[in-house]
Every structure is written in structure tokens, then in C-alpha cells.
Amino acid sequence: MSDDVLPGAPDTTGPGAAPSDAPGRRIVLGPFNRVEGDLEVSLDVAGGTVVAAYVNSPLYRGFEQILPGRATLDALAIVPRICGICSVAQSLAAVQALEALGGIVPAANGVRARNLILGAENLADHLSHFVLFFLPDFTHPAYADRPWHGEAQRRLTALRGSATAWALPARAGLLKVMGLLAGHWPHTLGLQPGGTTRGVSASERLRLIALLADFRRALETHLFADRLEHFFALDSAEALAAWGQAQASAGVMGEAAFFLAIARDLAQSGHDLVALGRASDRFLSVGAYGGGGEGFTGDASNPAPLLASGRWSSENGVQPWSAQDIREDVHSAWLAEVPPIHPAQADTVVDADKPGAYTWCKAPRYAGEVVEVGALARQVVDGHPLARDLVARHGGSVLARVAARLLELARVVPALERWARELVPGEPFCHPAELPASGSAAGLIEAARGSLGHWVTVERGRIVRYQIVAPTTWNFSPRDGAGTPGPLEQALVGLPAGEGALPLVQHVVRSFDPCMVCTVH
């Protein structure tokens, strides 16, 4: 069932259907539109409420089986093609794995250029998600009786809304950064062990600065109707609400404030987006934009990130994290059954007839726990007071995840501007070096949707094992061997579903900004 109609289809079962012990009826939502890749969600509903959810990634792609046997550097041509919208993130994770394999320290200019390239991709994704994927759900006919519905149709209707008219050119303008620094997008080969392949001249640096100024102007005019710095300075749920109400009172609302007005009205009718969609409330970030911090002086051997790494829970706050504590559980996946295993030791072996399995997605766990990754995780781990306050009040939620992406737009654009100014024309952008014939290493970065890891093992110049854990693999993971649901599966429980229900399930699903093609790499 397409997600642009209300939940309420007849009970649906069939080959590969998710198992269920719950009473009531089964609703299957899928395929979802405005999602990168294939997604199906099975809901067990009793009394009009979701009592259990099963998330199915139904497309198998097999990149972890394509890579073994190939030359080490072939990974740089293959892994970007995992995804058309996250290709830089996949490329950079591979590059950093190969740098770790060879002990290669990238050039300082290369670090800045890579952060610019990754930042442009991530922010283009955040903007596209909010304006083009998430907000159009509020034009749904189920909201026809709400006072804001007509304005939502004018602004947010897919392809025809006024928001599309400014957001697409703004996104296209930002992606011109790729042309200057990476040659093209997606699937660039401009990121290599040691840095980037293309230096910039002084005039090209000025062009970069101008492109970023244009993007800032679009955000400040249309998305925020305010300075980026003013939005980033909001430090509590009350401050966020007051900011949105001030724009509503003035009669000049950007898309962000218009969404807050919608959320405020829905809360008054008992559908509070600040409380819907709560998952585990445990968050993980591996650290974003290495070398992007204010104190980076060019020593790329120890590059402090712009956004800190760590794991966060309400019980313990921020704690250090270790990649050694990651395990992949395949209990509910159509993959050969093995105990939970670290990605560096894992192999991907298909078992399409496995009893009880219902997805091609593995179940990553951190120290045995379900964790959420993404913009909200980054902002909570890094300590932004607004993100922390929203989570402290109601946990991870639809509104908290959306607010975190808006915070990242407001935070990272100034960082992009600084990195562009710090480029030094004439100095190296790459320190090329030979890779060893054998060894194992990992590259972990923050993509738009969360923590991304690549683990590679090489013998005699050939890849013998390559494992990837993508952001939506974390967030849309199935039940593990202990029966614990993944983040989205938890977040959907308790929502209304069935005939006449508002499309709240869709809002929760989209709040994670899924990329399914990365999930099932």
C-alpha cells in the first residue's frame, strides 16, 4: 500500500511476511514514496493502535559480496555507487579506512576540502528531506479540516508548492561546490587516500565563498526567515516555540516556523509531534567533520571534529565510545545465522529461506543495546541545549529529529564558510602514498543520516572482506536475537493506525530520513 493514502488496508500476509504473535489485524505499508530505496512496514494493530511493528528492507544489493577479490583501490570506484544521495559519505568512509590501513595522514587542504564536499552533500540532504520529503505529508487530505491545510497545499505540495520553487535551486547551487572540489557528484573519485585530487585557485576559492553565501541567503530568506545564528542560539523547547510564535504573529513565516505552527495545532488536538516517535533514547555519534573544529591548525594526524563523538543516554549522559563494541546481529535477516559478530570478522552469506526472517537488513547493536543515529544523535552527543532539552522532556521524537536537522543547517553552513576561507591555494591538497599489500582497518564517519562504518581486510593487494554498517541499518534494524526491536520498530508502537487515522505513522517513519539503498548495501 502506498504511503500517500491512509493506513487501513485489509490484512496482508504472504511469503516473507514478518512473524507476529500479536492479536488483532496486520496492516502492511509499502512501498513508501519519497524514500530512497524500497521500504515496507508491517503493523500489528489492536483497538486502532499499533502494538508491534516490523520493518522490512526488501531489496538485496550485495555490495559486500561484490568487493571481495578486487584490487584494494577498486573500493573507491564501487562503494560510492551504493547510493546516489550518500555517495560522498560512502566514498569518504572507504577513503578513511584505506588511510587507516596505510597509516596515511591527509593534507590539511584535503581535510578542509573533504569537509566541504561532505558538508555540501549532508546539507543538501537535510534541505531535501525537510522540504521535499517530510513536509509534503501535511498536505494529506486527512488534514483538510485543519486551519493551515490550504497554506500547506500552497507551500508544500510535491513539485508544485512554493517551497519547491526555492529549495531545488538552492540545493542545486550548493552542489556546485562538488564541481569545484570533487569534479562531479555523485560517484566522484575526487576523494583519495591522502586528501583530494583537485586543488583550487584563489579565484575558485572566492567562487566557493560566493556559492555558500547564496545558500545562506536562501536559507535565511525562505527556510528560517531569520539569521542562521539566531536559530542555532535557541536553547530550549520554550525558546523554539517562542521563536516560531514570533514569526507567526508577525505574519512572515519561513518553512521552519510554518512547520512549528502545524506541530502546535496538532498538539492542541492530541497529536503532539514533540512526543510521538520515541525509540530507545540511546544515541551514538562517531564524530562529524574531522579537522573541522575551530582549533584545527593543519595537523591532520589528530583532527578534532566539528561535532563530538560519543554515546548518550539519560542515565549516564555522554560517555566515550569504541568501535570495538559494535556487533551485527543477523537473527531476523535473510542471512546465514551466526552469533552477533563484529563487522571486521563478519561475512555476508545469503539464506533467502531462513525461517522467521523478514528483512535484508542486519541489526547493529552497540554494547548489546539499540541505539539511534542521525542529526539528533549528533546534536545530543555534542551537547546542543535545544536538542538536549527536547530529548529530556519527551525523548527522541518527530519534532526533535526535525529540529536537529534544522540546527545542523544553521550550524554547518558557517563552518563551510570558514573551511572555504581556510583553504590555501598553492599548497598540497593530497599526500599520495602507497597502500600496504595486507592488513585490516576501518573508516567511520557521520553521513547525513548518521554513523557510517566501513571495515576492510586486504591480503596481497586484494580485498578479502568488506563490511558496511550504514545509518539506516542502525535506525531501521529488525529484532535481534533477544527479540528487541530496532529504533523505528519501537518508535511506531502506540501510534493510531487503521481506517480514519491521521498519517502519523508516515511522519514517524520520515522523521528518521531513511535511505534504504544504503541500508541493504
Coordinates of all heavy atoms in Angstrom, one line a residue, residues 45 116 126 181 204 207 223-224 266 322 378 380 433 472 493 498 505:
V45 N -2.1 -4.3 14.6 CA -2.9 -3.3 15.1 C -4.0 -3.9 16.0 O -4.7 -4.9 15.5 CB -3.6 -2.4 14.0 CG1 -4.5 -1.4 14.6 CG2 -2.5 -1.8 13.2
L116 N 34.2 20.2 3.2 CA 33.3 21.0 2.4 C 32.5 20.1 1.5 O 31.3 20.3 1.3 CB 34.2 22.0 1.5 CG 34.6 23.2 2.2 CD1 35.8 23.8 1.4 CD2 33.5 24.2 2.3
H126 N 19.7 17.3 4.0 CA 18.8 17.8 5.1 C 17.7 18.7 4.5 O 16.6 18.7 4.9 CB 19.6 18.6 6.1 CG 20.4 17.8 7.1 ND1 20.2 16.5 7.2 CD2 21.4 18.1 7.9 CE1 21.0 16.0 8.2 NE2 21.8 17.0 8.6
L181 N 35.3 21.2 -6.2 CA 36.2 20.5 -5.4 C 36.4 19.0 -5.7 O 37.4 18.4 -5.4 CB 35.8 20.6 -3.9 CG 35.9 22.0 -3.3 CD1 35.3 22.0 -1.9 CD2 37.4 22.4 -3.2
E204 N 38.9 30.4 -7.5 CA 38.0 29.4 -7.3 C 37.5 29.4 -5.8 O 36.4 29.1 -5.5 CB 38.5 28.0 -7.7 CG 38.6 27.9 -9.2 CD 39.4 26.6 -9.6 OE1 40.3 26.2 -8.8 OE2 39.0 26.0 -10.6
R207 N 34.9 31.8 -5.5 CA 33.7 31.3 -6.1 C 33.0 30.4 -5.1 O 31.8 30.4 -4.9 CB 34.0 30.5 -7.4 CG 32.8 29.8 -8.0 CD 31.7 30.8 -8.5 NE 30.6 30.2 -9.1 CZ 29.4 30.6 -9.0 NH1 29.1 31.7 -8.3 NH2 28.4 30.0 -9.7
L223 N 13.8 29.4 4.5 CA 13.7 28.3 5.4 C 13.5 28.9 6.9 O 12.5 28.5 7.6 CB 14.9 27.4 5.4 CG 14.8 26.2 6.3 CD1 13.7 25.3 6.0 CD2 16.2 25.4 6.3
F224 N 14.3 29.8 7.3 CA 14.3 30.3 8.6 C 13.6 31.7 8.7 O 13.2 32.0 9.8 CB 15.7 30.4 9.2 CG 16.4 29.0 9.4 CD1 17.4 28.6 8.6 CD2 16.0 28.2 10.4 CE1 18.0 27.4 8.7 CE2 16.6 26.9 10.6 CZ 17.6 26.5 9.7
L266 N -1.5 20.6 15.9 CA -1.7 19.2 16.1 C -1.6 18.8 17.6 O -2.3 17.9 18.1 CB -0.7 18.3 15.3 CG -0.9 18.4 13.8 CD1 0.2 17.6 13.1 CD2 -2.2 17.8 13.4
S322 N 33.5 3.2 21.5 CA 34.6 2.4 20.9 C 34.0 1.6 19.8 O 33.0 0.9 20.0 CB 35.3 1.5 21.9 OG 36.1 0.6 21.3
R378 N 23.8 13.4 16.9 CA 25.0 14.2 16.8 C 24.8 15.4 17.7 O 25.7 15.8 18.4 CB 25.2 14.7 15.4 CG 25.8 13.6 14.5 CD 26.3 14.2 13.2 NE 25.2 14.6 12.3 CZ 24.6 13.8 11.4 NH1 25.0 12.6 11.3 NH2 23.7 14.3 10.6
V380 N 22.7 15.9 20.3 CA 22.6 15.5 21.7 C 24.0 15.2 22.2 O 24.4 15.6 23.3 CB 21.7 14.3 21.9 CG1 21.8 13.7 23.3 CG2 20.2 14.7 21.6
A433 N 50.2 8.2 -1.2 CA 51.1 7.2 -0.6 C 50.7 5.8 -1.0 O 49.6 5.6 -1.4 CB 51.1 7.3 1.0
T472 N 20.9 4.0 8.2 CA 19.6 3.4 8.3 C 19.6 1.9 8.7 O 18.6 1.4 9.2 CB 18.8 3.7 7.0 OG1 18.9 5.1 6.7 CG2 17.3 3.3 7.1
V493 N 5.3 1.9 17.9 CA 4.4 1.2 18.8 C 3.6 2.3 19.6 O 4.2 3.3 20.0 CB 5.1 0.3 19.8 CG1 4.2 -0.2 20.9 CG2 5.7 -0.9 19.0
G498 N -5.1 2.5 11.1 CA -6.3 1.9 10.6 C -7.2 2.9 10.0 O -6.8 4.1 9.8
V505 N 1.9 7.6 11.3 CA 3.0 6.6 11.1 C 3.9 7.1 10.0 O 5.2 7.0 10.2 CB 2.3 5.3 10.6 CG1 3.4 4.3 10.0 CG2 1.6 4.6 11.7

